[in-house]
Amino acid sequence: MENNLINIVNKFSIEETPLFVESHGNGNINETYKVLTNVQDRSYILQRKNALIFKNIPRMMQNIKSVTEHILDKSENDAVFPIDNLKIYDCRDGKPFVMDNGEFWVLTNYIPYSITFEKAENHALAQKAGKGIGKFHSLLSDFQGELYQTIKGFHDLGYRFKQWDECIKKDKAERLVSVKEEVEKLNKRRNVIARFNKMIESGFLPKRVTHNDTKIGNVLFNNSNEVICVIDFDTVMTSTWINDFGDAIRTFTCTASENEKDLEKVLFDPEMFKAYTEGYLSEVKDALSQTEKENLYFAGIFITFEQALRFLMDYIDGDTYYKIDYPEHNLVRARNQIKLLEELERNECLMREVIENKLNNI
Ligand code: GN1
Ligand code: MG
């Protein structure tokens, strides 16, 4: 296996000699490896993109290239996104990926001494991450290019509800009987979520360049806990900033990771919400439209509901989408997200007040 991976790395245009390849990170979709080379502190990230989920990888890579080039052009000498971090290497025939046995491989820089987190460890970290994601949004706010829709209906709850109805009808893995309570908890929220989604999809909120996976694990920090950059651009598409704010709130304000089994540990931390929101708004406040400002408070609830639905659907379907470490993993994740959803709902007023307050005082 390792030899095969080294052969793949050798197809990319890099000067160093790859020596070792080791498994890296804990993504739920792609296979990720760190490649060590003959030059100290010159390592790479090799990824096998999941072609079952990303149906058109060449176009996805085109999205990633256009967006990273736009950032790199604008952020030269910028402390938040220092040049080179996001570079994607072409293979020797000029494409930004290698095809091997029908599989797509991509090579990017490994940033020395970089770290990621599964949950926010302190408020300063959440504040800095908010600033980093806000910076990502503001750097791309004047992007003029076209972006391909990498995954159909990714954050469109109308589309997700169609998948949900089908999933419940088919009950492919015959697990429905064991998750009645969870299904009911989601169904009873359907109308509220659908109404919010309709408002988003109707064009009431501006369409922007969005990351669409702004979870905590996709923000890279250095060992002094300063943000280096946002990573994992696979789902960069056009949608609303609500989605990115929401996914960050889902993960930065929760006292446990999305894999935590003990639901008593899954709580909303209001201080984390304040810190993240302050960092985020300090970068994008002036660019936000009035409708975005008015609807940010619901973003965390919206995306956490969606994530609970997606994990539960995958469990009912028989675990065909997300990687799992044990048979009940998707169910554990779904229950965890439902608990967080309840916590967020209880804090809806608080979130509204904090946003209003920060908008007036930053
Ligand atoms: C997946 O593979 P990863 O960890 O980057 C998923 C996200 C989910 C996330 C939950 C393409 O992201 O949408 O929010 O898991 N990516 C895709 O951890 O479905
Ligand atoms: Mg991702």
Side-chain angles (χ1 to χ4, degrees):
M1 179 66 177
E2 175 147 4
N3 270 348
N4 186 36
L5 294 177
I6 298 238
N7 288 341
I8 291 168
V9 178
N10 276 325
K11 293 185 181 169
F12 286 93
S13 266
I14 56 167
E15 281 163 18
E16 304 80 4
T17 310
L19 296 180
F20 306 104
V21 180
E22 58 193 30
S23 196
H24 183 78
N26 37 19
N28 293 326
I29 308 286
N30 300 316
E31 294 296 334
T32 307
Y33 301 91
K34 181 175 170 188
V35 181
L36 301 152
T37 71
N38 59 327
V39 180
Q40 210 195 351
D41 284 350
R42 200 72 196 90
S43 302
Y44 293 90
I45 292 291
L46 176 71
Q47 246 191 356
R48 182 172 67 82
K49 300 288 182 186
N50 186 330
L52 290 175
I53 289 173
F54 301 113
K55 307 280 187 218
N56 190 335
I57 291 174
R59 292 195 72 178
M60 172 175 99
M61 292 311 296
Q62 192 47 54
N63 276 4
I64 300 177
K65 272 219 139 180
S66 331
V67 165
T68 49
E69 275 163 17
H70 184 89
I71 292 177
L72 294 177
D73 280 351
K74 285 184 72 175
S75 61
E76 209 164 341
N77 303 323
D78 189 303
V80 177
F81 288 90
I83 199 133
D84 232 35
N85 284 348
L86 304 167
K87 188 173 162 53
I88 294 157
Y89 288 85
D90 287 340
C91 76
R92 302 206 188 266
D93 70 7
K95 294 200 186 76
F97 54 82
V98 159
M99 263 206 94
D100 181 78
N101 270 328
E103 314 218 87
F104 289 83
W105 295 86
V106 170
L107 195 76
T108 50
N109 280 329
Y110 171 78
I111 299 153
Y113 312 110
S114 56
I115 41 175
T116 54
F117 296 89
E118 285 255 306
K119 65 184 174 88
E121 293 190 347
N122 57 62
H123 303 142
L125 193 106
Q127 201 259 355
K128 286 173 191 164
K131 219 170 152 46
I133 292 173
K135 181 88 188 175
F136 173 86
H137 280 172
S138 66
L139 283 169
L140 286 163
S141 59
D142 61 346
F143 179 86
Q144 297 292 334
E146 280 283 306
L147 290 176
Y148 166 74
Q149 198 189 15
T150 319
I151 298 181
K152 189 176 173 208
F154 197 56
H155 288 308
D156 175 358
L157 261 292
Y159 184 73
R160 294 283 179 201
F161 282 132
K162 281 192 195 132
Q163 291 181 326
W164 171 250
D165 290 338
E166 205 162 296
C167 157
I168 300 287
K169 200 166 110 197
K170 287 193 177 146
D171 188 16
K172 266 197 233 154
E174 299 179 358
R175 290 174 169 175
L176 199 53
V177 60
S178 63
V179 293
K180 282 214 164 106
E181 202 182 314
E182 289 76 14
V183 168
E184 205 173 301
K185 282 185 179 172
L186 294 182
N187 274 341
K188 93 174 184 217
R189 292 167 165 91
R190 181 169 177 154
N191 288 345
V192 177
I193 299 292
R195 219 175 303 132
F196 189 77
N197 184 62
K198 234 186 193 144
M199 189 253 316
I200 292 188
E201 294 298 316
S202 67
F204 192 56
L205 296 171
K207 288 275 161 38
R208 313 268 203 179
V209 177
T210 40
H211 181 280
N212 294 303
D213 194 9
T214 44
K215 64 180 189 182
I216 184 166
N218 281 337
V219 182
L220 211 57
F221 293 87
N222 66 17
N223 47 15
S224 331
N225 282 357
E226 298 296 334
V227 172
I228 302 174
C229 59
V230 181
I231 52 167
D232 180 13
F233 287 10
D234 289 357
T235 46
V236 165
M237 284 181 262
T238 310
S239 78
T240 70
W241 279 352
I242 295 281
N243 294 333
D244 282 356
F245 185 73
D247 217 3
I249 294 311
R250 177 179 79 79
T251 49
F252 278 94
T253 69
C254 186
T255 52
S257 96
E258 69 187 14
N259 295 305
E260 177 59 58
K261 290 179 185 167
D262 181 354
L263 296 185
E264 284 185 17
K265 292 189 181 150
V266 180
L267 300 166
F268 169 79
D269 181 340
E271 295 307 316
M272 244 14 133
F273 181 81
K274 285 181 199 162
Y276 182 88
T277 303
E278 183 175 304
Y280 179 70
L281 291 180
S282 70
E283 286 291 331
V284 300
K285 186 188 157 200
D286 294 338
L288 284 172
S289 73
Q290 190 53 29
T291 47
E292 284 172 318
K293 288 179 185 166
E294 282 167 11
N295 288 289
L296 273 184
Y297 77 96
F298 201 70
I301 294 177
F302 182 69
I303 292 292
T304 305
F305 174 90
E306 181 195 278
Q307 194 63 68
L309 192 88
R310 291 176 65 200
F311 283 143
L312 192 57
M313 274 199 282
D314 199 31
Y315 182 71
I316 297 169
D317 279 345
D319 310 310
T320 58
Y321 189 94
Y322 294 108
K323 279 193 236 161
I324 51 166
D325 296 335
Y326 54 93
E328 308 273 287
H329 199 164
N330 272 321
L331 180 58
V332 163
R333 289 164 168 158
R335 286 185 176 144
N336 169 307
Q337 295 295 291
I338 291 172
K339 170 73 192 298
L340 176 63
L341 176 61
E342 290 163 353
E343 285 278 299
L344 287 165
E345 286 169 342
R346 237 195 317 279
N347 284 281
E348 190 180 308
C349 289
L350 179 140
M351 291 192 282
R352 208 190 261 268
E353 278 164 22
V354 169
I355 291 168
E356 231 175 80
N357 180 280
K358 299 281 179 205
L359 282 170
N360 290 329
N361 293 299
I362 286 173

